[in-house]
Amino acid sequence: MRFLILCFLIYIGYRALKALMLPGRFSSRHETRQEPAMIDDIMVKDPFCETYFPRRSGVKEVIDGETLYFCSTMCRDKYLEQIKKARSSG
Ligand SMILES: [Zn+2]
């Protein structure tokens, strides 16, 4: 049991040391990896319903080499349908 307590203390010490090494990052609940979450969280516009939403939660679709993001798969399908119709009509 004492060994476990010792391990725990070492772990706490390690965490404290890490916090000291990274000033201003005390509240980092994320573990080791610090990915640029800000870049991932930009707002994009759904080309179909014109709603803005965080890109991360959107549906990604590459159309003609262009990457588009939709708020839902429903919007994506309707948008694709629209394109198809526009193309077939000329
Ligand atoms: Zn939409």
Side-chain angles (χ1 to χ4, degrees):
M1 200 59 192
R2 222 176 231 190
F3 178 70
L4 278 174
I5 292 164
L6 195 75
C7 277
F8 182 70
L9 285 172
I10 287 167
Y11 176 71
I12 294 289
Y14 173 71
R15 288 292 294 244
L17 210 79
K18 244 186 148 184
L20 284 170
M21 299 255 244
L22 300 163
R25 292 225 171 209
F26 282 97
S27 62
S28 65
R29 252 192 281 159
H30 307 284
E31 296 284 59
T32 45
R33 267 203 188 183
Q34 293 282 346
E35 278 178 32
M38 292 271 288
I39 292 163
D40 235 22
D41 245 344
I42 60 166
M43 299 296 275
V44 288
K45 197 168 121 182
D46 185 318
F48 183 75
C49 67
E50 303 197 330
T51 302
Y52 284 90
F53 58 92
R55 197 173 74 177
R56 189 184 273 180
S57 65
V59 181
K60 190 179 158 188
E61 185 73 31
V62 180
I63 300 162
D64 290 338
E66 199 183 342
T67 309
L68 295 169
Y69 292 90
F70 299 88
C71 71
S72 65
T73 51
M74 207 178 80
C75 279
R76 182 200 61 189
D77 292 346
K78 289 201 170 171
Y79 186 77
L80 286 170
E81 228 171 81
Q82 209 177 54
I83 287 176
K84 256 189 217 170
K85 264 187 202 170
R87 276 184 192 164
S88 62
S89 67

